[in-house]
Coordinates of all heavy atoms in Angstrom, one line a residue:
D243 N 89.9 88.3 132.4 CA 90.3 88.7 133.7 C 90.3 90.2 133.8 O 89.9 90.8 134.8 CB 91.7 88.1 134.1 CG 91.8 86.6 134.1 OD1 90.8 86.0 134.5 OD2 92.9 86.1 133.8
M244 N 91.0 90.8 132.8 CA 91.2 92.2 132.9 C 89.9 93.0 132.8 O 89.7 94.0 133.5 CB 92.1 92.7 131.7 CG 93.5 92.1 131.7 SD 94.4 92.5 130.2 CE 95.2 91.0 129.7
A245 N 89.0 92.5 132.0 CA 87.7 93.2 131.9 C 86.9 93.1 133.2 O 86.3 94.1 133.6 CB 86.9 92.5 130.7
I246 N 86.9 91.9 133.8 CA 86.2 91.7 135.1 C 86.8 92.7 136.2 O 86.1 93.3 136.9 CB 86.2 90.3 135.5 CG1 85.4 89.4 134.6 CG2 85.7 90.1 137.0 CD1 83.9 89.7 134.6
Q247 N 88.2 92.7 136.2 CA 88.8 93.5 137.2 C 88.5 95.0 137.0 O 88.3 95.8 137.9 CB 90.4 93.3 137.2 CG 90.8 91.9 137.8 CD 92.3 91.9 138.1 OE1 92.9 92.9 138.6 NE2 92.9 90.8 137.9
T248 N 88.5 95.4 135.7 CA 88.1 96.8 135.4 C 86.7 97.1 135.8 O 86.5 98.1 136.4 CB 88.3 97.0 133.9 OG1 89.7 96.7 133.5 CG2 88.0 98.4 133.5
A249 N 85.8 96.2 135.5 CA 84.4 96.4 135.9 C 84.2 96.5 137.4 O 83.6 97.4 137.9 CB 83.5 95.3 135.4
D250 N 84.9 95.6 138.1 CA 84.8 95.6 139.6 C 85.4 96.9 140.1 O 84.8 97.5 141.0 CB 85.6 94.4 140.2 CG 84.8 93.1 140.0 OD1 83.6 93.2 139.8 OD2 85.5 92.0 140.1
F251 N 86.6 97.3 139.6 CA 87.2 98.5 140.1 C 86.3 99.8 140.0 O 86.2 100.6 140.9 CB 88.5 98.8 139.4 CG 89.4 99.9 140.0 CD1 90.4 99.6 140.9 CD2 89.1 101.2 139.7 CE1 91.1 100.6 141.5 CE2 89.8 102.2 140.3 CZ 90.8 101.9 141.2
F252 N 85.7 99.9 138.8 CA 84.9 101.1 138.6 C 83.4 100.9 138.9 O 82.6 101.7 138.6 CB 85.0 101.5 137.1 CG 86.4 102.0 136.7 CD1 87.3 101.2 136.0 CD2 86.8 103.3 137.1 CE1 88.6 101.7 135.7 CE2 88.1 103.8 136.8 CZ 88.9 103.0 136.1
G253 N 83.1 99.7 139.5 CA 81.7 99.4 139.9 C 80.7 99.4 138.7 O 79.6 99.9 138.8
L254 N 81.2 98.8 137.6 CA 80.3 98.7 136.4 C 79.7 97.4 136.3 O 80.0 96.4 137.0 CB 81.2 99.0 135.2 CG 81.8 100.4 135.2 CD1 82.9 100.6 134.2 CD2 80.8 101.5 135.1
D255 N 78.7 97.2 135.4 CA 77.8 96.1 135.2 C 78.6 94.9 134.5 O 78.7 94.9 133.3 CB 76.6 96.5 134.5 CG 75.6 95.3 134.3 OD1 75.9 94.2 134.8 OD2 74.6 95.5 133.7
K256 N 79.0 93.9 135.3 CA 79.7 92.8 134.7 C 78.9 91.9 133.8 O 79.4 91.2 133.0 CB 80.3 91.9 135.9 CG 81.5 92.5 136.5 CD 82.1 91.5 137.5 CE 81.4 91.5 138.8 NZ 82.2 90.8 139.9
T257 N 77.6 92.0 134.0 CA 76.7 91.1 133.2 C 76.8 91.5 131.7 O 76.4 90.7 130.8 CB 75.3 91.2 133.6 OG1 74.8 92.5 133.4 CG2 75.1 90.8 135.1
L258 N 77.3 92.7 131.4 CA 77.5 93.1 130.0 C 78.7 92.5 129.3 O 78.9 92.6 128.1 CB 77.6 94.6 129.9 CG 76.4 95.4 130.3 CD1 76.7 96.9 130.5 CD2 75.3 95.2 129.3
I259 N 79.6 91.8 130.2 CA 80.8 91.2 129.7 C 80.5 89.7 129.3 O 80.2 88.9 130.1 CB 81.9 91.2 130.7 CG1 82.2 92.6 131.1 CG2 83.2 90.5 130.1 CD1 83.2 92.7 132.3
R260 N 80.4 89.5 128.0 CA 80.1 88.1 127.5 C 81.4 87.4 127.3 O 82.3 87.8 126.5 CB 79.4 88.2 126.1 CG 78.0 88.8 126.2 CD 77.0 87.7 126.6 NE 75.7 88.2 126.9 CZ 75.3 88.7 128.1 NH1 76.2 88.7 129.1 NH2 74.1 89.2 128.3
R261 N 81.6 86.3 128.0 CA 82.8 85.5 128.0 C 82.8 84.7 126.6 O 81.8 84.1 126.3 CB 82.8 84.5 129.1 CG 84.1 83.8 129.4 CD 84.1 83.1 130.7 NE 85.4 82.6 131.0 CZ 85.8 82.3 132.3 NH1 85.0 82.5 133.3 NH2 87.0 81.9 132.5
T262 N 83.9 84.8 125.9 CA 84.0 84.0 124.6 C 85.5 83.5 124.5 O 86.3 83.6 125.5 CB 83.6 84.9 123.5 OG1 83.7 84.1 122.2 CG2 84.5 86.1 123.3
D263 N 85.8 83.0 123.3 CA 87.2 82.6 123.1 C 87.6 82.9 121.7 O 86.8 83.3 120.8 CB 87.4 81.1 123.4 CG 86.6 80.2 122.5 OD1 86.5 80.5 121.3 OD2 85.9 79.3 123.0
S264 N 88.9 82.6 121.4 CA 89.4 83.1 120.1 C 88.9 82.3 118.9 O 89.1 82.7 117.7 CB 91.0 82.9 120.1 OG 91.5 83.7 121.1
T265 N 88.2 81.2 119.1 CA 87.6 80.5 118.0 C 86.3 81.2 117.6 O 85.9 81.2 116.4 CB 87.2 79.0 118.4 OG1 86.3 79.1 119.5 CG2 88.4 78.2 118.8
R266 N 85.7 81.9 118.5 CA 84.4 82.6 118.2 C 84.6 84.1 118.0 O 84.0 84.7 117.1 CB 83.4 82.3 119.3 CG 82.9 80.9 119.3 CD 82.0 80.6 120.5 NE 82.7 80.6 121.8 CZ 82.2 80.8 123.0 NH1 80.9 81.1 123.1 NH2 82.9 80.7 124.1
F267 N 85.5 84.7 118.8 CA 85.8 86.1 118.6 C 87.0 86.3 117.7 O 88.1 85.9 118.1 CB 86.0 86.8 119.9 CG 86.4 88.2 119.8 CD1 85.4 89.2 119.6 CD2 87.7 88.6 119.8 CE1 85.7 90.5 119.5 CE2 88.1 90.0 119.6 CZ 87.1 90.9 119.5
T268 N 86.8 86.8 116.5 CA 88.0 87.0 115.6 C 88.1 88.5 115.2 O 87.2 89.2 115.2 CB 87.8 86.2 114.3 OG1 86.6 86.6 113.7 CG2 87.8 84.7 114.6
Q269 N 89.4 88.8 115.0 CA 89.7 90.2 114.6 C 90.4 90.1 113.2 O 90.9 89.0 112.9 CB 90.6 90.9 115.6 CG 89.9 91.1 117.0 CD 90.9 91.6 118.0 OE1 91.6 90.8 118.6 NE2 90.9 92.9 118.3
P270 N 90.5 91.1 112.4 CA 91.2 91.0 111.1 C 92.6 90.4 111.2 O 92.9 89.5 110.4 CB 91.2 92.4 110.5 CG 90.0 93.1 111.2 CD 89.9 92.4 112.6
A271 N 93.3 90.8 112.2 CA 94.7 90.2 112.4 C 94.6 89.1 113.5 O 94.0 89.4 114.5 CB 95.7 91.3 112.7
K272 N 95.2 88.0 113.2 CA 95.3 86.9 114.2 C 96.1 87.5 115.4 O 97.1 88.1 115.2 CB 96.0 85.7 113.5 CG 96.0 84.5 114.4 CD 96.5 83.3 113.5 CE 96.6 82.0 114.2 NZ 97.2 82.0 115.6
R273 N 95.7 87.1 116.6 CA 96.5 87.5 117.8 C 97.2 86.2 118.3 O 96.6 85.1 118.3 CB 95.6 88.0 118.9 CG 95.3 89.5 119.0 CD 95.2 90.2 117.8 NE 94.9 91.7 118.0 CZ 94.3 92.4 117.1 NH1 93.9 91.9 116.0 NH2 94.1 93.7 117.3
P274 N 98.5 86.4 118.7 CA 99.1 85.2 119.4 C 98.3 84.8 120.6 O 97.9 85.8 121.4 CB 100.5 85.7 119.7 CG 100.4 87.2 119.7 CD 99.3 87.5 118.7
I275 N 98.0 83.6 120.8 CA 97.1 83.2 121.9 C 97.7 83.5 123.2 O 97.2 84.3 124.0 CB 96.7 81.7 121.8 CG1 96.0 81.5 120.4 CG2 95.8 81.3 122.9 CD1 94.5 82.0 120.4
K276 N 98.8 82.8 123.5 CA 99.3 82.9 124.9 C 100.7 83.6 124.9 O 101.7 83.0 124.4 CB 99.4 81.6 125.6 CG 98.1 80.9 125.8 CD 98.2 79.6 126.5 CE 97.0 79.0 127.1 NZ 95.8 79.0 126.3
T277 N 100.8 84.9 125.3 CA 102.1 85.5 125.4 C 102.4 85.8 126.9 O 102.2 85.0 127.7 CB 102.2 86.7 124.5 OG1 101.4 87.7 125.0 CG2 101.9 86.4 123.1
G278 N 102.9 87.0 127.1 CA 103.3 87.3 128.5 C 104.8 87.0 128.6 O 105.3 86.2 128.0
F279 N 105.4 87.9 129.5 CA 106.9 87.9 129.6 C 107.3 87.5 131.0 O 106.7 87.8 132.0 CB 107.4 89.3 129.3 CG 107.4 89.6 127.8 CD1 107.6 90.9 127.4 CD2 107.3 88.6 126.8 CE1 107.6 91.3 126.1 CE2 107.4 89.0 125.5 CZ 107.5 90.3 125.1
I280 N 108.5 86.9 131.0 CA 109.3 86.7 132.3 C 110.2 88.0 132.4 O 110.9 88.3 131.4 CB 110.2 85.5 132.2 CG1 109.3 84.2 132.2 CG2 111.1 85.4 133.4 CD1 110.0 82.9 131.8
I281 N 110.1 88.7 133.5 CA 110.9 90.0 133.6 C 112.1 89.9 134.6 O 112.6 91.0 135.0 CB 109.9 91.1 134.0 CG1 109.2 90.8 135.4 CG2 108.8 91.3 133.0 CD1 108.5 92.0 136.0
D282 N 112.5 88.7 134.9 CA 113.6 88.6 135.8 C 114.9 89.4 135.4 O 115.5 90.0 136.2 CB 114.0 87.1 136.0 CG 112.9 86.3 136.6 OD1 111.9 86.9 137.0 OD2 113.0 85.0 136.6
K283 N 115.2 89.3 134.1 CA 116.4 90.0 133.6 C 116.3 91.5 133.9 O 117.3 92.1 134.4 CB 116.6 89.7 132.1 CG 117.9 90.4 131.5 CD 118.0 90.1 130.1 CE 119.2 90.8 129.5 NZ 119.3 90.7 128.0
A284 N 115.2 92.1 133.5 CA 115.0 93.6 133.7 C 115.1 93.9 135.2 O 115.6 94.9 135.6 CB 113.7 94.0 133.1
R285 N 114.5 93.0 136.0 CA 114.5 93.2 137.5 C 115.9 93.2 138.0 O 116.4 94.2 138.7 CB 113.8 92.1 138.1 CG 112.5 92.5 138.8 CD 112.1 91.5 139.8 NE 110.7 91.9 140.2 CZ 109.6 91.1 139.9 NH1 109.7 90.0 139.3 NH2 108.4 91.6 140.2
K286 N 116.7 92.2 137.6 CA 118.1 92.0 138.2 C 119.0 93.1 137.6 O 119.8 93.7 138.3 CB 118.6 90.6 137.8 CG 118.0 89.5 138.7 CD 118.8 88.2 138.5 CE 118.0 87.0 139.0 NZ 117.3 86.3 137.9
Q287 N 119.0 93.3 136.3 CA 120.0 94.1 135.7 C 119.6 95.6 135.7 O 120.5 96.5 135.6 CB 120.3 93.7 134.2 CG 120.9 92.3 134.2 CD 121.3 91.9 132.8 OE1 121.5 92.8 131.9 NE2 121.5 90.6 132.5
L288 N 118.3 95.9 135.7 CA 117.9 97.3 135.6 C 117.3 97.9 136.9 O 117.2 99.1 137.1 CB 116.9 97.5 134.5 CG 117.3 97.1 133.1 CD1 116.2 97.2 132.1 CD2 118.5 98.0 132.6
G289 N 116.8 96.9 137.8 CA 116.1 97.3 138.9 C 114.6 97.7 138.6 O 114.0 98.4 139.3
F290 N 114.2 97.1 137.4 CA 112.8 97.4 137.0 C 111.8 96.7 137.9 O 112.0 95.5 138.2 CB 112.6 96.9 135.5 CG 111.2 96.9 135.0 CD1 110.6 98.2 134.7 CD2 110.5 95.8 134.8 CE1 109.3 98.2 134.2 CE2 109.2 95.8 134.3 CZ 108.6 97.1 134.0
E291 N 110.7 97.4 138.3 CA 109.7 96.8 139.2 C 108.3 97.4 138.8 O 108.0 98.5 139.1 CB 110.0 97.2 140.6 CG 109.3 96.3 141.6 CD 109.5 94.8 141.4 OE1 110.6 94.4 141.4 OE2 108.5 94.2 141.2
P292 N 107.5 96.6 138.0 CA 106.2 97.1 137.6 C 105.2 97.1 138.7 O 105.3 96.3 139.7 CB 105.9 96.1 136.5 CG 106.5 94.8 136.9 CD 107.8 95.2 137.6
K293 N 104.1 97.8 138.4 CA 102.9 97.8 139.3 C 102.1 96.6 139.1 O 102.1 96.0 138.0 CB 102.1 99.1 139.1 CG 102.8 100.4 139.1 CD 103.0 100.9 140.5 CE 103.6 102.3 140.5 NZ 104.8 102.4 139.6
T294 N 101.3 96.2 140.1 CA 100.3 95.2 139.8 C 99.2 95.8 138.9 O 99.0 97.0 138.8 CB 99.6 94.7 141.1 OG1 98.9 95.9 141.7 CG2 100.6 94.2 142.1
F295 N 98.4 94.9 138.3 CA 97.3 95.3 137.4 C 96.3 96.2 138.2 O 95.9 97.2 137.8 CB 96.6 94.1 136.8 CG 95.6 94.5 135.7 CD1 96.1 95.1 134.5 CD2 94.3 94.2 135.8 CE1 95.2 95.4 133.5 CE2 93.4 94.6 134.9 CZ 93.8 95.2 133.7
Q296 N 96.0 95.7 139.4 CA 95.1 96.5 140.3 C 95.6 97.9 140.6 O 94.9 98.9 140.4 CB 94.9 95.7 141.6 CG 93.8 94.7 141.6 CD 92.4 95.3 141.3 OE1 92.0 96.3 141.9 NE2 91.7 94.7 140.4

Side-chain angles (χ1 to χ4, degrees):
D243 296 329
M244 297 176 222
I246 294 294
Q247 288 196 36
T248 301
D250 284 342
F251 188 95
F252 291 104
L254 298 168
D255 180 1
K256 281 189 282 194
T257 62
L258 293 170
I259 301 172
R260 291 275 172 274
R261 194 170 187 155
T262 183
D263 64 40
S264 302
T265 59
R266 288 175 289 159
F267 176 82
T268 56
Q269 296 173 277
K272 188 173 182 310
R273 269 35 180 205
I275 298 286
K276 293 183 168 45
T277 67
F279 283 164
I280 294 167
I281 60 169
D282 296 352
K283 179 180 176 187
R285 244 199 193 114
K286 283 194 198 96
Q287 294 189 19
L288 303 172
F290 174 68
E291 196 53 58
K293 306 284 184 309
T294 63
F295 189 65
Q296 273 298 313

